[in-house]
């Protein structure tokens, strides 16, 4: 079998399995209401949610970006990527629990923003939320296409487009339940691949060779990967990267409706909390550390430079195929495929919820029945998949990590208003608006005005997240506004919610 | 960081991740079987 044929076979087999699962779920659990479509009936148990959260947060960037961090920062790279990406979930968990407590019938965070701050701010958050998901899903399709192109020589544009349509397809067919249950299958595949390939890689490279490579990189200026902090777990550059990862991930978690939908689908608050804790800290956090260490260690052991790799995010597939041959390359592609599809699916489940609940009945058909709402939600999901696919086709050759860092500046600014607005009755709508615009302006200004490329991204990210928090906290003592959270408890959405 | 600490660190992370993933795998498979079984019983009762 030719290399490309093997790649197409892998793509088609896994794609068929996922679509079959979605079709089966649709038969077993008919989507006869909005709540079934967007919240999976609100009775999904703890383990399934854990698997879904884990896989939704394993992005193509988790594998490739963490690997790249392992090369840039040495032994601390994967760890800094990991803790930076976990902090937003540690914040998300109390946010989701608080939302469930004060507004039990909500599904989308847009509903909360609308009731808390009004229609205009809700529309702004809606725009941010949709833009974020489209961006994230495009990144996943790009990552999948890179992987298949690198390993099998498949056509980048074709894979980018079809993968987007694939994850849009199974969400359109089976809704959030399709995302969650498919995630369990994909979780098992990811687990198998990691359990098999990582020990083999470590055996082939050798932990001692990895260590010696890092040691040489740390002490030998002639080493192509020379980095005096290569073996320093607390190196300054790595820590800066970790703090930036917090900012980048903050918006990606707190503005991504998919995580709120998954949280809403939990059978109760206790299982929600444990599912998110287990799925992220216990199971997810080791993944970027492992890939940072193993891929980074492999690159240091071989003394390969990023310039020698086709694209700097090509380190992970390079190491897999170099040490494990064609089977390693295939395993890596399967890993990236599963990671990208789950994240894309989770994101589009969120977009589906947002358009079904926050858009259709408000702006298109005020008299809509739930059947019409669900039909609209499914069509928008497919349309979003096509748009994502087309955008991903245009991004051949672009570094994923650089896009990720810039996105932090764009999407971190609204998070302060959302978080503080959930707890403080004093936060006024005008202050929330101002914080978002000023945070965004500060972040962008710093990024473009600071000429040093080593720190402009860091300062820009810090300002985008920090300025809104500072502004809001400074404004609270002077605020005469007193929001009545009791209104949220009495909130009734326009569709039936089974409690 | 010494070699022994580096080796220990890598083993720790791998075992930690492995335990976490195995735990989720076992629990979620049991739950899926339970969910499909519940649905089958409910459908049978309705018929």
């Amino acid at each position: 079998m030719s290399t490309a044929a093997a790649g197409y076979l892998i793509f088609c087999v896994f794609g068929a399995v996922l679509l079959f699962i979605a079709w089966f779920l649709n038969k077993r659990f008919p989507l006869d209401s909005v709540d079934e479509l967007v919240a999976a009936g609100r009775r999904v148990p703890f383990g399934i949610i854990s698997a879904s959260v884990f896989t939704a947060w394993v992005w193509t960037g988790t594998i490739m970006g963490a690997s790249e961090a392992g090369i840039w920062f040495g032994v601390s790279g994967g760890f800094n990527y990991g803790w930076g990406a976990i902090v937003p979930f540690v914040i998300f968990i109390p946010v989701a629990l608080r939302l469930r407590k004060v507004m039990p019938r909500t599904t989308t965070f847009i509903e909360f923003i609308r009731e808390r701050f009004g229609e205009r701010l809700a529309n702004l958050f809606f725009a941010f939320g949709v833009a974020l998901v489209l961006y994230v899903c495009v990144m996943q399709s790009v990552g999948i296409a890179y992987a298949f192109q690198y390993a099998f020589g498949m056509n980048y544009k074709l894979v980018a487009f079809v993968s987007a349509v694939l994850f849009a397809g199974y969400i359109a067919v089976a809704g959030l339940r399709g995302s969650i249950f498919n995630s369990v299958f994909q979780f098992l595949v990811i687990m198998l691949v990691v359990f098999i390939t990582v020990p083999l890689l470590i055996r082939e490279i050798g932990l001692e060779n990895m260590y010696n490579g890092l040691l040489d990189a740390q002490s030998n200026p002639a080493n192509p990967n020379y980095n005096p902090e290569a073996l320093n777990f607390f190196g300054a550059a790595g820590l800066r990267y970790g703090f930036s990862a917090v900012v980048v991930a903050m918006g990606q978690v707190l503005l991504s409706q998919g995580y709120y939908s998954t949280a809403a689908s939990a059978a109760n608050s206790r299982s929600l909390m444990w599912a998110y804790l287990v799925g992220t800290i216990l199971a997810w956090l080791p993944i970027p550390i492992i890939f940072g260490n193993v891929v980074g260690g492999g690159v240091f052991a071989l003394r390969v430079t990023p310039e020698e790799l086709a694209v700097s995010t090509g380190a992970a597939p390079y190491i897999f195929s170099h040490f494990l041959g064609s089977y390693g390359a295939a395993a890596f592609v399967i890993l990236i495929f599963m990671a990208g599809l789950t994240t894309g699916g989770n994101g589009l489940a969120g977009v589906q919820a947002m358009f079904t609940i926050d858009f259709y009945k408000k702006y298109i058909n005020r008299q809509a029945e739930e059947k019409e709402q669900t039909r609209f939600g499914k069509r928008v999901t497919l349309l979003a998949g096509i748009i994502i696919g087309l955008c991903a086709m245009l991004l051949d050759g672009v570094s994923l990590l650089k896009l990720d860092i810039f996105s932090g500046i764009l999407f971190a600014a609204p998070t302060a208003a959302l978080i503080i607005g959930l707890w403080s009755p004093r936060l006024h709508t005008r202050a929330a608006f101002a914080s978002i615009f000023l945070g965004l302006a500060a972040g962008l200004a710093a990024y473009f005005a600071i000429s040093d490329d080593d720190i402009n991204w860091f300062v820009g990210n810090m300002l985008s997240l920090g300025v809104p928090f500072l502004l809001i906290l400074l404004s609270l003592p002077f605020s005469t506004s007193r929001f009545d959270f009791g209104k949220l408890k009495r909130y009734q959405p326009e569709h039936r919610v089974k409690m | 960081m010494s070699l022994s600490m580096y080796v220990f660190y890598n083993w720790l992370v791998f075992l930690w991740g492995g335990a976490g993933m195995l735990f989720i795998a076992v629990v979620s498979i049991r739950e899926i079987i339970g969910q499909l079984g519940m649905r089958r019983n409910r459908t049978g009762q309705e018929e």
Side-chain angles (χ1 to χ4, degrees), chain A residues 267-288:
Chain A
N268 53 60
S269 294
R270 199 157 162 260
S271 65
L272 187 175
M273 183 186 75
W274 284 109
Y276 270 79
L277 281 174
V278 169
T280 55
I281 295 173
L282 193 57
W284 182 90
L285 183 52
I287 298 295

PDB file of all heavy atoms in Angstrom, chain A residues 267-288:
ATOM      1  N   ALA A 267     -24.526  15.661  35.505  1.00  0.00           N
ATOM      2  CA  ALA A 267     -25.713  15.249  36.262  1.00  0.00           C
ATOM      3  C   ALA A 267     -25.906  16.100  37.519  1.00  0.00           C
ATOM      4  O   ALA A 267     -27.027  16.335  37.950  1.00  0.00           O
ATOM      5  CB  ALA A 267     -25.603  13.766  36.619  1.00  0.00           C
ATOM      6  N   ASN A 268     -24.812  16.538  38.134  1.00  0.00           N
ATOM      7  CA  ASN A 268     -24.925  17.403  39.318  1.00  0.00           C
ATOM      8  C   ASN A 268     -23.614  18.165  39.500  1.00  0.00           C
ATOM      9  O   ASN A 268     -22.622  17.891  38.802  1.00  0.00           O
ATOM     10  CB  ASN A 268     -25.254  16.564  40.570  1.00  0.00           C
ATOM     11  CG  ASN A 268     -24.275  15.424  40.764  1.00  0.00           C
ATOM     12  OD1 ASN A 268     -23.071  15.636  40.922  1.00  0.00           O
ATOM     13  ND2 ASN A 268     -24.772  14.200  40.714  1.00  0.00           N
ATOM     14  N   SER A 269     -23.629  19.101  40.444  1.00  0.00           N
ATOM     15  CA  SER A 269     -22.457  19.976  40.628  1.00  0.00           C
ATOM     16  C   SER A 269     -21.237  19.205  41.107  1.00  0.00           C
ATOM     17  O   SER A 269     -20.103  19.507  40.721  1.00  0.00           O
ATOM     18  CB  SER A 269     -22.785  21.084  41.645  1.00  0.00           C
ATOM     19  OG  SER A 269     -23.760  21.927  41.122  1.00  0.00           O
ATOM     20  N   ARG A 270     -21.480  18.207  41.934  1.00  0.00           N
ATOM     21  CA  ARG A 270     -20.348  17.433  42.465  1.00  0.00           C
ATOM     22  C   ARG A 270     -19.617  16.690  41.348  1.00  0.00           C
ATOM     23  O   ARG A 270     -18.387  16.692  41.264  1.00  0.00           O
ATOM     24  CB  ARG A 270     -20.874  16.444  43.502  1.00  0.00           C
ATOM     25  CG  ARG A 270     -19.818  15.928  44.433  1.00  0.00           C
ATOM     26  CD  ARG A 270     -20.430  15.432  45.736  1.00  0.00           C
ATOM     27  NE  ARG A 270     -19.447  14.589  46.387  1.00  0.00           N
ATOM     28  CZ  ARG A 270     -19.448  13.253  46.363  1.00  0.00           C
ATOM     29  NH1 ARG A 270     -20.409  12.616  45.733  1.00  0.00           N
ATOM     30  NH2 ARG A 270     -18.507  12.564  46.971  1.00  0.00           N
ATOM     31  N   SER A 271     -20.394  16.056  40.467  1.00  0.00           N
ATOM     32  CA  SER A 271     -19.733  15.313  39.390  1.00  0.00           C
ATOM     33  C   SER A 271     -19.071  16.279  38.408  1.00  0.00           C
ATOM     34  O   SER A 271     -18.026  15.974  37.834  1.00  0.00           O
ATOM     35  CB  SER A 271     -20.697  14.365  38.680  1.00  0.00           C
ATOM     36  OG  SER A 271     -21.700  15.080  38.006  1.00  0.00           O
ATOM     37  N   LEU A 272     -19.674  17.474  38.241  1.00  0.00           N
ATOM     38  CA  LEU A 272     -19.049  18.491  37.388  1.00  0.00           C
ATOM     39  C   LEU A 272     -17.661  18.821  37.931  1.00  0.00           C
ATOM     40  O   LEU A 272     -16.662  18.799  37.202  1.00  0.00           O
ATOM     41  CB  LEU A 272     -19.917  19.761  37.393  1.00  0.00           C
ATOM     42  CG  LEU A 272     -19.636  20.944  36.481  1.00  0.00           C
ATOM     43  CD1 LEU A 272     -20.737  21.976  36.637  1.00  0.00           C
ATOM     44  CD2 LEU A 272     -18.328  21.624  36.681  1.00  0.00           C
ATOM     45  N   MET A 273     -17.598  19.121  39.223  1.00  0.00           N
ATOM     46  CA  MET A 273     -16.334  19.550  39.812  1.00  0.00           C
ATOM     47  C   MET A 273     -15.273  18.452  39.694  1.00  0.00           C
ATOM     48  O   MET A 273     -14.149  18.704  39.250  1.00  0.00           O
ATOM     49  CB  MET A 273     -16.543  19.900  41.286  1.00  0.00           C
ATOM     50  CG  MET A 273     -15.287  20.433  41.956  1.00  0.00           C
ATOM     51  SD  MET A 273     -15.493  20.674  43.710  1.00  0.00           S
ATOM     52  CE  MET A 273     -15.455  19.005  44.320  1.00  0.00           C
ATOM     53  N   TRP A 274     -15.619  17.240  40.077  1.00  0.00           N
ATOM     54  CA  TRP A 274     -14.633  16.155  40.049  1.00  0.00           C
ATOM     55  C   TRP A 274     -14.241  15.788  38.633  1.00  0.00           C
ATOM     56  O   TRP A 274     -13.074  15.474  38.362  1.00  0.00           O
ATOM     57  CB  TRP A 274     -15.152  14.932  40.825  1.00  0.00           C
ATOM     58  CG  TRP A 274     -15.048  15.146  42.295  1.00  0.00           C
ATOM     59  CD1 TRP A 274     -16.060  15.342  43.184  1.00  0.00           C
ATOM     60  CD2 TRP A 274     -13.832  15.247  43.053  1.00  0.00           C
ATOM     61  NE1 TRP A 274     -15.551  15.543  44.443  1.00  0.00           N
ATOM     62  CE2 TRP A 274     -14.203  15.491  44.396  1.00  0.00           C
ATOM     63  CE3 TRP A 274     -12.471  15.145  42.736  1.00  0.00           C
ATOM     64  CZ2 TRP A 274     -13.263  15.633  45.418  1.00  0.00           C
ATOM     65  CZ3 TRP A 274     -11.535  15.292  43.762  1.00  0.00           C
ATOM     66  CH2 TRP A 274     -11.937  15.528  45.070  1.00  0.00           C
ATOM     67  N   ALA A 275     -15.214  15.847  37.729  1.00  0.00           N
ATOM     68  CA  ALA A 275     -14.908  15.524  36.328  1.00  0.00           C
ATOM     69  C   ALA A 275     -13.877  16.488  35.758  1.00  0.00           C
ATOM     70  O   ALA A 275     -12.916  16.083  35.092  1.00  0.00           O
ATOM     71  CB  ALA A 275     -16.187  15.583  35.485  1.00  0.00           C
ATOM     72  N   TYR A 276     -14.055  17.782  36.050  1.00  0.00           N
ATOM     73  CA  TYR A 276     -13.112  18.770  35.524  1.00  0.00           C
ATOM     74  C   TYR A 276     -11.749  18.652  36.220  1.00  0.00           C
ATOM     75  O   TYR A 276     -10.716  18.799  35.587  1.00  0.00           O
ATOM     76  CB  TYR A 276     -13.688  20.180  35.646  1.00  0.00           C
ATOM     77  CG  TYR A 276     -14.496  20.589  34.418  1.00  0.00           C
ATOM     78  CD1 TYR A 276     -15.803  20.137  34.245  1.00  0.00           C
ATOM     79  CD2 TYR A 276     -13.954  21.399  33.442  1.00  0.00           C
ATOM     80  CE1 TYR A 276     -16.532  20.478  33.120  1.00  0.00           C
ATOM     81  CE2 TYR A 276     -14.671  21.757  32.311  1.00  0.00           C
ATOM     82  CZ  TYR A 276     -15.957  21.289  32.155  1.00  0.00           C
ATOM     83  OH  TYR A 276     -16.681  21.636  31.033  1.00  0.00           O
ATOM     84  N   LEU A 277     -11.757  18.387  37.510  1.00  0.00           N
ATOM     85  CA  LEU A 277     -10.474  18.258  38.225  1.00  0.00           C
ATOM     86  C   LEU A 277      -9.697  17.040  37.718  1.00  0.00           C
ATOM     87  O   LEU A 277      -8.499  17.117  37.436  1.00  0.00           O
ATOM     88  CB  LEU A 277     -10.723  18.119  39.729  1.00  0.00           C
ATOM     89  CG  LEU A 277     -11.027  19.417  40.480  1.00  0.00           C
ATOM     90  CD1 LEU A 277     -11.411  19.127  41.926  1.00  0.00           C
ATOM     91  CD2 LEU A 277      -9.820  20.354  40.431  1.00  0.00           C
ATOM     92  N   VAL A 278     -10.408  15.916  37.610  1.00  0.00           N
ATOM     93  CA  VAL A 278      -9.738  14.680  37.177  1.00  0.00           C
ATOM     94  C   VAL A 278      -9.311  14.791  35.716  1.00  0.00           C
ATOM     95  O   VAL A 278      -8.191  14.436  35.348  1.00  0.00           O
ATOM     96  CB  VAL A 278     -10.672  13.463  37.389  1.00  0.00           C
ATOM     97  CG1 VAL A 278     -10.117  12.224  36.714  1.00  0.00           C
ATOM     98  CG2 VAL A 278     -10.874  13.205  38.876  1.00  0.00           C
ATOM     99  N   GLY A 279     -10.205  15.309  34.892  1.00  0.00           N
ATOM    100  CA  GLY A 279      -9.912  15.393  33.459  1.00  0.00           C
ATOM    101  C   GLY A 279      -8.754  16.316  33.141  1.00  0.00           C
ATOM    102  O   GLY A 279      -7.994  16.065  32.202  1.00  0.00           O
ATOM    103  N   THR A 280      -8.579  17.374  33.934  1.00  0.00           N
ATOM    104  CA  THR A 280      -7.528  18.343  33.620  1.00  0.00           C
ATOM    105  C   THR A 280      -6.252  18.085  34.422  1.00  0.00           C
ATOM    106  O   THR A 280      -5.216  17.735  33.848  1.00  0.00           O
ATOM    107  CB  THR A 280      -8.016  19.785  33.868  1.00  0.00           C
ATOM    108  OG1 THR A 280      -8.488  19.915  35.208  1.00  0.00           O
ATOM    109  CG2 THR A 280      -9.127  20.146  32.911  1.00  0.00           C
ATOM    110  N   ILE A 281      -6.332  18.199  35.736  1.00  0.00           N
ATOM    111  CA  ILE A 281      -5.107  18.115  36.537  1.00  0.00           C
ATOM    112  C   ILE A 281      -4.563  16.691  36.580  1.00  0.00           C
ATOM    113  O   ILE A 281      -3.352  16.460  36.429  1.00  0.00           O
ATOM    114  CB  ILE A 281      -5.360  18.653  37.960  1.00  0.00           C
ATOM    115  CG1 ILE A 281      -5.680  20.139  37.875  1.00  0.00           C
ATOM    116  CG2 ILE A 281      -4.155  18.409  38.854  1.00  0.00           C
ATOM    117  CD1 ILE A 281      -6.105  20.760  39.177  1.00  0.00           C
ATOM    118  N   LEU A 282      -5.443  15.716  36.765  1.00  0.00           N
ATOM    119  CA  LEU A 282      -4.941  14.348  36.920  1.00  0.00           C
ATOM    120  C   LEU A 282      -4.525  13.731  35.586  1.00  0.00           C
ATOM    121  O   LEU A 282      -3.499  13.070  35.483  1.00  0.00           O
ATOM    122  CB  LEU A 282      -6.035  13.483  37.579  1.00  0.00           C
ATOM    123  CG  LEU A 282      -5.604  12.122  38.092  1.00  0.00           C
ATOM    124  CD1 LEU A 282      -4.469  12.270  39.103  1.00  0.00           C
ATOM    125  CD2 LEU A 282      -6.778  11.403  38.745  1.00  0.00           C
ATOM    126  N   ALA A 283      -5.338  13.938  34.557  1.00  0.00           N
ATOM    127  CA  ALA A 283      -5.056  13.237  33.301  1.00  0.00           C
ATOM    128  C   ALA A 283      -4.412  14.116  32.227  1.00  0.00           C
ATOM    129  O   ALA A 283      -3.527  13.659  31.511  1.00  0.00           O
ATOM    130  CB  ALA A 283      -6.353  12.634  32.749  1.00  0.00           C
ATOM    131  N   TRP A 284      -4.848  15.389  32.115  1.00  0.00           N
ATOM    132  CA  TRP A 284      -4.358  16.212  31.006  1.00  0.00           C
ATOM    133  C   TRP A 284      -2.964  16.779  31.251  1.00  0.00           C
ATOM    134  O   TRP A 284      -2.117  16.780  30.348  1.00  0.00           O
ATOM    135  CB  TRP A 284      -5.331  17.365  30.735  1.00  0.00           C
ATOM    136  CG  TRP A 284      -4.901  18.215  29.583  1.00  0.00           C
ATOM    137  CD1 TRP A 284      -5.221  18.041  28.273  1.00  0.00           C
ATOM    138  CD2 TRP A 284      -4.031  19.345  29.631  1.00  0.00           C
ATOM    139  NE1 TRP A 284      -4.607  18.993  27.498  1.00  0.00           N
ATOM    140  CE2 TRP A 284      -3.870  19.812  28.312  1.00  0.00           C
ATOM    141  CE3 TRP A 284      -3.357  20.019  30.649  1.00  0.00           C
ATOM    142  CZ2 TRP A 284      -3.074  20.913  27.991  1.00  0.00           C
ATOM    143  CZ3 TRP A 284      -2.557  21.122  30.337  1.00  0.00           C
ATOM    144  CH2 TRP A 284      -2.427  21.557  29.015  1.00  0.00           C
ATOM    145  N   LEU A 285      -2.732  17.295  32.477  1.00  0.00           N
ATOM    146  CA  LEU A 285      -1.480  18.024  32.751  1.00  0.00           C
ATOM    147  C   LEU A 285      -0.219  17.222  32.407  1.00  0.00           C
ATOM    148  O   LEU A 285       0.744  17.786  31.883  1.00  0.00           O
ATOM    149  CB  LEU A 285      -1.469  18.489  34.208  1.00  0.00           C
ATOM    150  CG  LEU A 285      -0.270  19.329  34.669  1.00  0.00           C
ATOM    151  CD1 LEU A 285      -0.030  20.520  33.757  1.00  0.00           C
ATOM    152  CD2 LEU A 285      -0.472  19.803  36.104  1.00  0.00           C
ATOM    153  N   PRO A 286      -0.158  15.919  32.658  1.00  0.00           N
ATOM    154  CA  PRO A 286       1.051  15.189  32.254  1.00  0.00           C
ATOM    155  C   PRO A 286       1.295  15.164  30.740  1.00  0.00           C
ATOM    156  O   PRO A 286       2.434  14.983  30.314  1.00  0.00           O
ATOM    157  CB  PRO A 286       0.791  13.764  32.754  1.00  0.00           C
ATOM    158  CG  PRO A 286      -0.194  13.914  33.856  1.00  0.00           C
ATOM    159  CD  PRO A 286      -1.066  15.065  33.438  1.00  0.00           C
ATOM    160  N   ILE A 287       0.269  15.314  29.939  1.00  0.00           N
ATOM    161  CA  ILE A 287       0.443  15.167  28.488  1.00  0.00           C
ATOM    162  C   ILE A 287       1.416  16.185  27.903  1.00  0.00           C
ATOM    163  O   ILE A 287       2.383  15.809  27.221  1.00  0.00           O
ATOM    164  CB  ILE A 287      -0.926  15.219  27.757  1.00  0.00           C
ATOM    165  CG1 ILE A 287      -1.838  14.068  28.206  1.00  0.00           C
ATOM    166  CG2 ILE A 287      -0.740  15.207  26.252  1.00  0.00           C
ATOM    167  CD1 ILE A 287      -1.321  12.693  27.835  1.00  0.00           C
ATOM    168  N   PRO A 288       1.227  17.490  28.096  1.00  0.00           N
ATOM    169  CA  PRO A 288       2.208  18.419  27.535  1.00  0.00           C
ATOM    170  C   PRO A 288       3.588  18.259  28.159  1.00  0.00           C
ATOM    171  O   PRO A 288       4.600  18.457  27.481  1.00  0.00           O
ATOM    172  CB  PRO A 288       1.632  19.810  27.860  1.00  0.00           C
ATOM    173  CG  PRO A 288       0.658  19.588  28.957  1.00  0.00           C
ATOM    174  CD  PRO A 288       0.122  18.212  28.767  1.00  0.00           C
TER     175      PRO A 288
END
